[in-house]
């Protein structure tokens, strides 16, 4: 095969994550030839800029994938489930950011810093991108697992409003606007809910007000009282790390942050390690920034790392009452590494197959 720059399609280019994808494509190394933007009929005809060029968005049709080598998808599960096989049948390799294929045994779930070789194991022509919550912590866990063998994981997530898409971001901004300046609200049972519902109504992507609040729920209800988001953390961590019997318990919480997920991680390992061991391994890992000096008030927060590509780690401690156990705090922009950036990195791995 002659070396050439492959053709890339972005399906879902006008959504919240799709918009970040286009920005990332303009910032990273130019490995692509033609870039084609595809969306629903509602968005077709819009003009978006990528790599300094104006590109007209095409309506989704089977023929839109003709000549495409790699297609990045950021669309709802049911849309991806329908269109990904069609794109593959027209010759594209699909990198899908939805949940439609993540647990399919014939579809690899890839994080380039952790399991890049799996990108070649794609009998269906599809590579899946993990959930943003899993992605926030998985670089760090991959680095520590390589040295000490991860065996148990307890996670509490603090998930931003943008995890629910643009509607989630808009709802939080609206709630903040309603409540701002009122120094009485938040001091009596139900007053936040009443103030928000009076002004905005009950139509919200969240099951409770998010401003001035935290909501111990993300996702849909599953058996045993678990949320779909919590089960994703368990199942996807097992698949990415290649530990099918990894013990995982997760509690997913929505917090009044616009963008950037955080997680408190309690990780148990097979072999002894110290906090200094873990800190050094994380310091040496690609795509991780260690901010860990409590005496100086240095640790990551969403407001300080939003818009950044790396995963940020702090509060690294050896658990006092649990042997071979490290506790740490992780922050990562859920629209970048948690979605668009990891999708782009997978696509770049695929692009190498066309340029060798």
């Amino acid at each position: 095969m002659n070396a050439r720059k492959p053709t890339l399609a972005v399906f879902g280019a006008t959504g919240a994550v799709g918009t970040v994808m286009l920005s990332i494509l303009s910032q990273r190394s130019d490995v692509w030839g033609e870039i084609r933007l595809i969306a629903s009929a509602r968005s077709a005809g819009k003009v978006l800029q990528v790599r300094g060029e104006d590109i007209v968005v095409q309506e989704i049709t089977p023929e839109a994938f003709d000549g495409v080598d790699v297609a990045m998808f950021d669309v709802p599960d049911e849309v991806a489930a329908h269109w990904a096989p069609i794109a593959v049948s027209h010759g594209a390799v699909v990198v899908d950011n939805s949940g439609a294929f993540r647990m399919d045994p014939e579809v690899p779930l890839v994080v380039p810093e952790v399991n890049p070789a799996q990108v070649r194991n794609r009998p269906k022509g599809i590579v899946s991108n993990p959930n943003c919550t899993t992605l926030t912590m998985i670089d760090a866990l991959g680095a520590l697992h390589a040295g000490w063998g991860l065996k148990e994981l307890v996670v509490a997530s603090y998930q931003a409003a943008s995890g629910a898409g643009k509607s989630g971001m808009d709802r939080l901004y609206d709630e903040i606007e309603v409540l701002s300046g009122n120094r009485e609200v938040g001091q009596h049972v139900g007053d936040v809910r009443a103030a928000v519902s009076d002004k905005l109504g009950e139509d919200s992507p969240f099951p409770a007000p998010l401003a001035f609040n935290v909501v111990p729920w993300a996702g849909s209800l599953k058996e045993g009282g678990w949320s779909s988001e919590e089960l994703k953390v368990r199942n996807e961590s097992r698949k990415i790390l290649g530990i099918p019997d990894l013990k995982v318990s997760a509690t997913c919480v929505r917090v009044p942050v616009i963008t950037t997920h955080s997680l408190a991680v309690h990780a148990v390992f097979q072999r002894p390690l110290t906090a200094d061991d873990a800190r050094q391994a994380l310091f040496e890992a690609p795509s991780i920034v260690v901010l860990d000096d409590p005496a100086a008030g240095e640790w990551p927060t969403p407001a300080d790392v939003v818009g950044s590509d790396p995963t940020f780690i702090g509060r690294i401690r050896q658990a006092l009452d649990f042997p071979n156990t490290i506790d740490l705090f992780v922050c990562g922009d859920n629209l970048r590494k948690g979605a668009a950036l990891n999708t782009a990195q997978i696509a770049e791995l695929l692009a190498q197959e066309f340029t060798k």
Side-chain angles (χ1 to χ4, degrees):
M1 179 182 296
N2 294 326
R4 63 179 179 86
K5 286 188 173 182
T7 295
L8 175 71
V10 180
F11 179 27
T14 58
V17 173
T19 301
V20 177
M21 282 181 179
L22 302 190
S23 172
I24 286 172
L25 288 171
S26 299
Q27 296 164 3
R28 293 179 66 80
S29 296
D30 186 5
V31 302
W32 303 106
E34 178 191 355
I35 293 181
R36 198 174 298 177
L37 306 183
I38 302 171
S40 66
R42 183 178 65 252
S43 297
K46 289 184 177 180
V47 179
L48 303 177
Q49 193 167 87
V50 187
R51 301 184 301 184
E53 301 175 16
D54 289 337
I55 300 177
V56 178
V57 177
Q58 301 182 30
E59 181 179 352
I60 180 67
T61 65
E63 292 72 29
F65 296 103
D66 287 345
V68 170
D69 298 299
V70 179
M72 300 198 306
F73 276 40
D74 183 62
V75 292
D77 291 9
E78 63 277 9
V79 178
H82 174 75
W83 283 103
I86 293 173
V88 171
S89 72
H90 282 251
V93 178
V94 171
V95 184
D96 180 40
N97 190 43
S98 83
F101 302 99
R102 286 177 185 149
M103 299 315 298
D104 187 324
E106 295 188 296
V107 175
L109 189 62
V110 174
V111 180
E113 295 87 348
V114 180
N115 62 342
Q118 286 298 312
V119 78
R120 296 190 294 272
N121 180 26
R122 51 176 197 270
K124 290 188 174 180
I126 302 169
V127 181
S128 199
N129 194 57
N131 174 261
C132 54
T133 312
T134 308
L135 270 169
T136 301
M137 67 176 182
I138 206 70
D139 280 6
L141 293 178
L144 297 176
H145 173 59
W148 293 278
L150 183 65
K151 67 175 186 178
E152 297 178 16
L153 188 61
V154 180
V155 178
S157 72
Y158 308 90
Q159 296 179 218
S162 57
K166 187 177 184 300
S167 64
M169 299 166 68
D170 289 343
R171 179 70 183 197
L172 179 54
Y173 278 125
D174 289 344
E175 290 182 1
I176 291 170
E177 186 175 346
V178 166
L179 300 174
S180 64
N182 186 347
R183 298 202 174 191
E184 299 298 320
V185 75
Q187 301 185 51
H188 305 283
V189 173
D191 61 354
V192 169
R193 188 183 293 271
V196 167
S197 62
D198 284 349
K199 293 287 187 179
L200 302 177
E202 300 291 341
D203 185 18
S204 170
F206 310 117
L210 190 56
F212 291 17
N213 203 15
V214 297
V215 181
W217 191 259
S220 57
L221 179 63
K222 300 298 180 181
E223 187 176 354
W226 295 97
S227 79
S228 58
E229 198 82 1
E230 290 159 351
L231 296 181
K232 288 175 187 177
V233 171
R234 178 177 183 261
N235 297 333
E236 293 178 17
S237 296
R238 288 176 162 189
K239 185 173 180 179
I240 295 164
L241 296 171
I243 315 173
D245 59 349
L246 179 66
K247 296 180 179 179
V248 182
S249 183
T251 300
C252 291
V253 180
R254 193 76 70 180
V255 296
V257 168
I258 298 299
T259 296
T260 295
H261 288 354
S262 305
L263 296 96
V265 177
H266 177 90
V268 184
F269 297 89
Q270 298 172 14
R271 296 179 288 279
L273 77 165
T274 66
D276 285 340
D277 292 334
R279 192 175 293 108
Q280 185 62 31
L282 294 170
F283 179 78
E284 294 173 357
S287 305
I288 290 176
V289 174
V290 176
L291 294 175
D292 189 33
D293 187 355
E298 186 175 87
W299 47 69
T301 74
D304 294 321
V305 310
V306 63
S308 302
D309 287 344
T311 298
F312 290 77
I313 312 286
R315 301 298 322 280
I316 302 168
R317 295 150 287 151
Q318 186 173 28
L320 296 176
D321 299 315
F322 303 88
N324 305 346
T325 300
I326 295 294
D327 289 300
L328 50 83
F329 188 73
V330 189
C331 287
D333 187 316
N334 54 294
L335 297 183
R336 294 186 73 87
K337 182 57 178 175
L341 176 60
N342 200 74
T343 305
Q345 289 175 306
I346 295 170
E348 288 169 3
L349 290 177
L350 294 167
Q352 294 173 12
E353 299 178 10
F354 296 90
T355 56
K356 289 181 179 178

